[in-house]
Amino acid sequence: MKRELCFHTPLKCIAAWNSDEEKRRKSASGGIAHALAELCLADGGVFVGTRYDESLRPIVAKAEHIEELEAYKGSKYVQSVMGAEIIKDIEAELNAGRQVTFVGTPCQVAALYSSLDEEYENLLTIDLMCHGTCPTSYFTEEIDHLRKQYKIDFDDVRFRDNEGHSFHLTFWKDGKLVKDIPGYCEYYFAGFLYGVSMREICYSCKYARPERVGDVTLGDFINLGKEKPFDHKVENVSAVLLNTKKAESVWSKLLSKNTEIKGEERDYSERLSYPYSVLKPFPKDPRRAKFMALYPKYGFVRSIRKTLRPKVWRSRFWQFLRDHNINIV
């Protein structure tokens, strides 16, 4: 570690969203990360976040043009590959005087800070309210299996969007939907949602705390409006934590340049009322022990099915009833 990490108590907590529904279409929540990325690129800067490579492996990569940003939209509930080369690239851009906006999990933000020799005023970091991530290999094994099982061809995989597929595992080809599976009805997604198949370190994450490692923190504003009225629909609204003076300055600049961004300051305690990711890590499911015992022998695809088959089939049963408007008295 080249320098000690700083944790910041948020200066402001804002419920925010992009009012342009087209721009939010593929976004997981309020579309704020995309707006901050656009702001950076419009000023000649560089945006760094997670997208898929040609093999649909999530990687941390760089974007320099606004039309590239579509690939970075949406939550990807899998550990993205953040190699040494991208960190060197970020450092080179910073040393050249370019603005860099980096978005990632808190541990990725911490890894970036720990790799830099100095503090850069031209670096804006955005950490995510992270539920945890599954190993990259689990994801690649699963989508390879589903490609064969359903005999489908796809070039994009999504977990969230604002098109009616939130918390569904969806597969897309040339922008068209080819397969839609509700999250609790699909084994990889269910393993993630139940807390069965995340990386072991995620269950004891030291970054799941109110003090944040990034300049900005983004996540769903869970429990918004439950205690204090909120005069807007609460679905797909982002919680934006401004943790540093730099973040406050960038946020003011964003609001002055982008009238599509709407927001309302809220008390931080409102977001903290849902504890996971901001007060403590997501809990380990008791069924994880079975999954981990099976995994060395059977690999991910068979092990997660042996572990979660009763739960997933129950979810599929209830989903069938909902899809066909069948009521059981």
Side-chain angles (χ1 to χ4, degrees), residues 13-158:
C13 174
I14 299 166
W17 66 99
N18 191 325
S19 60
D20 185 323
E21 294 187 1
E22 179 59 27
K23 288 186 177 179
R24 285 177 63 195
R25 193 169 51 85
K26 283 177 63 176
S27 298
S29 191
I32 302 303
H34 184 265
L36 289 167
E38 282 188 325
L39 180 70
C40 178
L41 296 189
D43 286 342
V46 175
F47 173 74
V48 180
T50 293
R51 64 167 175 81
Y52 294 120
D53 66 9
E54 309 78 41
S55 303
L56 289 178
R57 184 183 63 152
I59 60 169
V60 177
K62 180 175 75 172
E64 298 187 70
H65 306 286
I66 286 177
E67 56 269 21
E68 297 177 68
L69 294 180
E70 281 296 305
Y72 293 81
K73 283 185 175 179
S75 296
K76 298 171 179 66
Y77 295 138
V78 55
Q79 178 71 7
S80 57
V81 179
M82 182 173 165
E85 286 304 313
I86 189 64
I87 293 178
K88 290 179 183 177
D89 202 356
I90 291 169
E91 191 164 28
E93 298 287 8
L94 291 168
N95 288 329
R98 296 185 77 181
Q99 175 68 37
V100 176
T101 294
F102 177 91
V103 59
T105 60
C107 58
Q108 288 177 330
V109 171
L112 175 60
Y113 278 138
S114 299
S115 302
L116 298 175
D117 288 317
E118 60 184 274
E119 186 172 341
Y120 290 90
E121 188 57 34
N122 52 326
L123 171 65
L124 180 79
T125 58
I126 302 170
D127 74 67
L128 303 171
M129 295 179 186
C130 182
H131 169 101
T133 57
C134 300
T136 312
S137 61
Y138 293 3
F139 176 73
T140 55
E141 286 180 47
E142 181 74 1
I143 64 170
D144 285 347
H145 172 79
L146 295 177
R147 181 185 280 111
K148 295 171 185 174
Q149 178 184 350
Y150 293 113
K151 297 179 173 59
I152 53 175
D153 184 28
F154 49 87
D155 56 21
D156 191 17
V157 182
R158 304 180 198 170

Side-chain angles (χ1 to χ4, degrees), residues 168-273:
H168 286 214
L169 190 65
T170 58
F171 299 85
W172 304 75
K173 178 68 175 179
D174 299 326
K176 294 182 179 179
L177 180 66
V178 296
K179 187 69 180 177
D180 178 354
I181 312 172
Y184 285 102
C185 300
E186 199 289 312
Y187 285 98
Y188 176 88
F189 210 164
F192 168 79
L193 292 170
Y194 287 125
V196 170
S197 53
M198 294 186 293
R199 297 181 308 147
E200 184 63 32
I201 198 170
C202 294
Y203 301 107
S204 57
C205 177
K206 65 181 180 181
Y207 304 105
R209 54 188 279 185
E211 303 81 20
R212 309 303 297 179
V213 70
D215 294 301
V216 179
T217 297
L218 294 179
D220 294 327
F221 209 129
I222 301 172
N223 289 343
L224 177 61
K226 282 196 172 182
E227 297 296 328
K228 176 186 173 184
F230 181 67
D231 297 328
H232 180 76
K233 63 178 184 179
V234 298
E235 293 79 16
N236 296 322
V237 173
S238 294
V240 182
L241 307 181
L242 305 179
N243 306 321
T244 63
K245 291 294 184 182
K246 184 193 298 184
E248 286 189 316
S249 176
V250 171
W251 185 253
S252 295
K253 183 177 180 180
L254 177 65
L255 295 181
S256 69
K257 289 182 173 289
N258 189 340
T259 58
E260 296 166 350
I261 302 301
K262 309 298 179 184
E264 178 184 313
E265 189 167 353
R266 309 287 288 188
D267 194 285
Y268 189 27
S269 62
E270 185 175 23
R271 181 57 185 84
L272 291 174
S273 65

